[in-house]
Amino acid sequence: MKHVFTILLLISISLAFAQPEYYPLTSIAETFSTNWCTGCQEMYAGINVLHDQMHAGEFISTRLYTESGPLSNDDVQARFDHYGVVGFPTVIFNGKARVDGANDETHNGQDYLNAMKPYRFAISPLKMQITAFNRQTGAISVNVQMVSSTFNLQNANLILYLLEDDVTDIETHVTRQVIQHPITLSGAGNSTQVDKTFTISADYDTTKLWAAAFVQLADDNIVQTAHTLALPEHHIRAAFNWDATVVSPLGEASYLSQPFWVFNLGVEESINTRIVVDEGPDNWYFNYCDEDDNCYPGSIPMPHTLVAGEIKGFHLNIMLSGSGIARFRFVISSDSLGEYSIPFVLVTDDLDSDDHVIPNYSLNLKANYPNPFSANTSIVVEAQKTAGDVVVDIYNIKGQKVDSLELRQLSDGSNEMVWSPSKDLPAGVYLQKIRGTNLPARRMMYIK
């Protein structure tokens, strides 16, 4: 693909953005299972795919066991009850994105990668750190700092997990104890410290204990996570508060994005930045600028040095010519980091999003209830903001569409509709999926 950069280099863009009032989100997956669940090994294999692709600074997972002898206890069971988990396996990402059951797409990690996509570059109003943890006594201290000047943390809980690795050959990241503490906080720069103590049982191998802490809102959304696992020495994160899938009006000559921010959370780093276009029109030119008014041709690696703790902002500056869709990545690379990619999609508004399967990460398809069901079941689409109409398609296990349901004018929060299968549909497993997105499908069990 050809790129012309001379025009860009003659343009002086003056955009003054302050430092972001947010911090990168560290994600947590709570996995719910038993030690006798046959499908749970599929879940563990899929979760390990995520661990292979992300380090502990981006993502951690914990295991919670029910009806599993010494692996279970009342504290852990309370988390099952909190989420209403009755089937296994179940994985809940950041308290919200839920994947039930196991199949080939969970074993290879695809269902979980899809569920994690909205969170990969998500923001948090909080910065958290476990400042002290004593494996022998169970004493733990957590510092929670507010980064945002507008977010008010209230009706929330700080949840603390005591975990043990390698309890058996197959049971690891086992949640041993849970402590819950109410928390309120507001005002950028303000912080609070919580000191608690786990009870260390003689049955625990203290050398394999670690701790996790997360802040969970009243709607179950987990807004930040911290832990005591080792973090990489070279540690770059990106975060931004706008949708990475952008629809641009046809006829616009250029697209200028809001800033996205690169956080150097490790040691001083010498990096290169560039744009890699995976798909796009030949007459679109992909470039970017930093927040210091320096602009760069997209495909040429450009060097930068980030000191420890430095935050550097960039924004996309793409020249458009006519209709099209582009999938491209902003790539940060170094000898120590390898490649860290931030994917984007840009499409002109004349194209049908269904044809191009543009993901809508502001939506979440929740588990239907009841499940299994006989006469009817409620299907719930959760929206992070007011949206337009969506269609939920119902498929049989062979992948044949058997029904479609339309939800008009989604409101912020949960939007519910009822599916009543026609009398000629046989009992069995059915899948529900939001049309025009790449959000994972959910399984339903219809019984007669």
Side-chain angles (χ1 to χ4, degrees), residues 53-123:
Q53 296 191 18
M54 292 178 282
H55 57 65
E58 299 176 274
F59 169 77
I60 65 167
S61 68
T62 69
R63 298 187 188 181
L64 298 98
Y65 291 87
T66 187
E67 302 176 6
S68 301
L71 300 178
S72 306
N73 58 58
D74 291 343
D75 287 348
V76 170
Q77 184 59 47
R79 293 300 288 173
F80 280 79
D81 298 340
H82 175 83
Y83 288 117
V85 174
V86 294
F88 318 111
T90 292
V91 183
I92 300 178
F93 294 87
N94 295 319
K96 299 296 282 185
R98 179 168 175 158
V99 181
D100 294 300
N103 52 47
D104 289 343
E105 296 302 305
T106 51
H107 179 85
N108 65 22
Q110 192 57 55
D111 278 352
Y112 302 142
L113 289 168
N114 289 339
M116 264 296 296
K117 279 182 179 178
Y119 302 110
R120 190 69 187 270
F121 306 102
I123 67 170

Side-chain angles (χ1 to χ4, degrees), residues 216-229:
Q216 188 162 38
L217 306 183
D219 65 356
D220 286 342
N221 189 30
I222 293 173
V223 293
Q224 191 57 286
T225 298
H227 55 81
T228 60
L229 296 173

Side-chain angles (χ1 to χ4, degrees), residues 58-372:
E58 299 176 274
F59 169 77
I60 65 167
S61 68
T62 69
R63 298 187 188 181
L64 298 98
Y65 291 87
T66 187
E67 302 176 6
S68 301
L71 300 178
S72 306
N73 58 58
D74 291 343
D75 287 348
V76 170
Q77 184 59 47
R79 293 300 288 173
F80 280 79
D81 298 340
H82 175 83
Y83 288 117
V85 174
V86 294
F88 318 111
T90 292
V91 183
I92 300 178
F93 294 87
N94 295 319
K96 299 296 282 185
R98 179 168 175 158
V99 181
D100 294 300
N103 52 47
D104 289 343
E105 296 302 305
T106 51
H107 179 85
N108 65 22
Q110 192 57 55
D111 278 352
Y112 302 142
L113 289 168
N114 289 339
M116 264 296 296
K117 279 182 179 178
Y119 302 110
R120 190 69 187 270
F121 306 102
I123 67 170
S124 171
L126 305 175
K127 183 178 180 180
M128 282 179 58
Q129 183 181 9
I130 297 179
T131 55
F133 174 59
N134 189 312
R135 294 178 176 85
Q136 305 300 321
T137 67
I140 183 171
S141 297
V142 183
N143 181 267
V144 183
Q145 179 183 349
M146 179 62 69
V147 181
S148 169
S149 63
T150 59
F151 188 84
N152 292 319
L153 185 63
Q154 54 188 349
N155 299 321
N157 285 297
L158 177 67
I159 311 292
L160 307 176
Y161 278 9
L162 177 68
L163 302 113
E164 184 178 356
D165 283 345
D166 304 325
V167 176
T168 70
D169 290 341
I170 59 174
E171 272 101 23
T172 191
H173 307 332
V174 175
T175 304
R176 290 298 201 178
Q177 290 179 37
V178 181
I179 295 176
Q180 183 168 301
H181 180 81
I183 184 172
T184 59
L185 187 63
S186 62
N190 291 334
S191 64
T192 185
Q193 179 165 305
V194 176
D195 301 312
K196 294 291 182 179
T197 302
F198 295 110
T199 301
I200 304 300
S201 168
D203 297 331
Y204 302 162
D205 183 342
T206 56
T207 65
K208 297 178 179 178
L209 293 178
W210 58 286
F214 53 89
V215 172
Q216 188 162 38
L217 306 183
D219 65 356
D220 286 342
N221 189 30
I222 293 173
V223 293
Q224 191 57 286
T225 298
H227 55 81
T228 60
L229 296 173
L231 295 173
E233 181 182 22
H234 300 274
H235 185 179
I236 293 286
R237 294 290 308 277
F240 47 95
N241 59 351
W242 47 278
D243 199 331
T245 297
V246 178
V247 179
S248 178
L250 180 64
E252 290 288 337
S254 64
Y255 167 70
L256 186 67
S257 79
Q258 300 177 57
F260 56 94
W261 297 91
V262 176
F263 296 72
N264 182 17
L265 305 182
V267 299
E268 181 174 316
E269 196 77 52
S270 295
I271 63 171
N272 286 308
T273 59
R274 73 187 194 280
I275 291 178
V276 175
V277 181
D278 298 308
E279 173 193 349
D282 289 341
N283 56 352
W284 287 15
Y285 306 118
F286 297 82
N287 313 290
Y288 63 97
C289 306
D290 63 24
E291 298 309 293
D292 297 318
D293 297 338
N294 302 303
C295 293
Y296 310 99
S299 63
I300 300 176
M302 301 301 299
H304 312 270
T305 298
L306 300 180
V307 301
E310 184 175 355
I311 305 171
K312 186 173 180 64
F314 297 92
H315 57 269
L316 303 171
N317 183 29
I318 301 173
M319 298 178 187
L320 311 176
S321 180
S323 173
I325 182 170
R327 293 180 173 87
F328 58 99
R329 293 170 286 131
F330 185 85
V331 178
I332 303 166
S333 61
S334 74
D335 291 341
S336 53
L337 286 170
E339 286 195 352
Y340 180 85
S341 294
I342 311 167
F344 296 98
V345 176
L346 178 60
V347 60
T348 52
D349 62 1
D350 61 305
L351 297 181
D352 185 351
S353 63
D354 286 353
D355 293 340
H356 298 281
V357 194
I358 299 173
N360 189 336
Y361 299 144
S362 64
L363 301 178
N364 180 30
L365 184 60
K366 303 188 72 175
N368 63 296
Y369 67 93
N371 193 23

